[in-house]
Amino acid sequence: MRGRRPGPGYAAAALAALAFFAAACDSAPAPKGVLAVERAEDGGVRLLLAGCPGYAARDFSVLEDTEGGDTVAWSVHNGGAGAAVGDVRAFQAPPEGWRSTDDSLTALREGVPYVASVNGFVNGRNLRARVPFTAEDLAGLGGGQVLAWAGGDETLKTSRDAFLRADPDRCRP
């Protein structure tokens, strides 16, 4: 008695299982937090917010993450009169209705660690986010990629689309 040969349904099921397993093993960790850092079209730095319904950013900042000496930072503040924004260009004039609160940092330097942060509110509760990065991290981004927080002091590269994809877990204080 000869054994039966697997038919096309068997092959399709095997391929689907293999694809699912490969995707599960190869998937990058999901971004955490509501902030990402990206390289703008002209090479500048853009701070990007994930879509969180009801989130109102109050402050954006980039500061040198070094010990000792004076804090060198760039920051803007929304005193409540400024419009809600989805992104802010670092080292440039603040969005309309916002004001600059520190401009001692005017550009990134190689070999220096930085931290980008946002402070805001959702549903009346404070929600902050931070992304540690370097100029080299930004230079290493491919088209359509951003740097996002992965947890702890870790940063991950992810696609801009994946970062902007709705994720209610990131929107909870």
Side-chain angles (χ1 to χ4, degrees):
M1 196 175 208
R2 290 182 20 187
R4 259 184 62 187
R5 296 180 100 185
Y10 176 82
L15 285 173
L18 183 60
F20 177 78
F21 181 71
C25 291
D26 191 37
S27 66
K32 301 177 190 303
V34 295
L35 182 68
V37 180
E38 71 178 342
R39 195 176 57 225
E41 300 78 20
D42 64 359
V45 178
R46 181 181 293 125
L47 307 180
L48 180 66
L49 286 176
C52 286
Y55 185 74
R58 299 279 296 207
D59 302 286
F60 287 93
S61 64
V62 177
L63 59 94
E64 286 186 5
D65 194 16
T66 56
E67 294 184 25
D70 293 331
T71 300
V72 180
W74 169 90
S75 60
V76 293
H77 175 75
N78 178 0
V85 296
D87 64 79
V88 171
R89 290 289 304 264
F91 318 125
Q92 294 191 2
E96 188 173 332
W98 292 60
R99 64 183 169 84
S100 177
T101 53
D102 193 342
D103 60 2
S104 57
L105 179 64
T106 58
L108 302 180
R109 295 180 295 144
E110 289 186 15
V112 176
Y114 297 95
V115 174
S117 63
V118 65
N119 182 33
F121 296 88
V122 64
N123 298 325
R125 297 185 62 202
N126 195 16
L127 179 60
R128 299 177 189 185
R130 62 188 304 272
V131 179
F133 71 100
T134 64
E136 293 81 3
D137 293 335
L138 273 179
L141 290 176
Q145 286 187 317
V146 300
L147 295 170
W149 183 57
D153 287 333
E154 299 298 317
T155 302
L156 64 91
K157 287 182 190 179
T158 189
S159 76
R160 187 178 209 268
D161 291 340
F163 174 74
L164 292 174
R165 195 169 300 128
D167 180 357
D169 290 338
R170 290 190 290 164
C171 300
R172 289 191 196 122

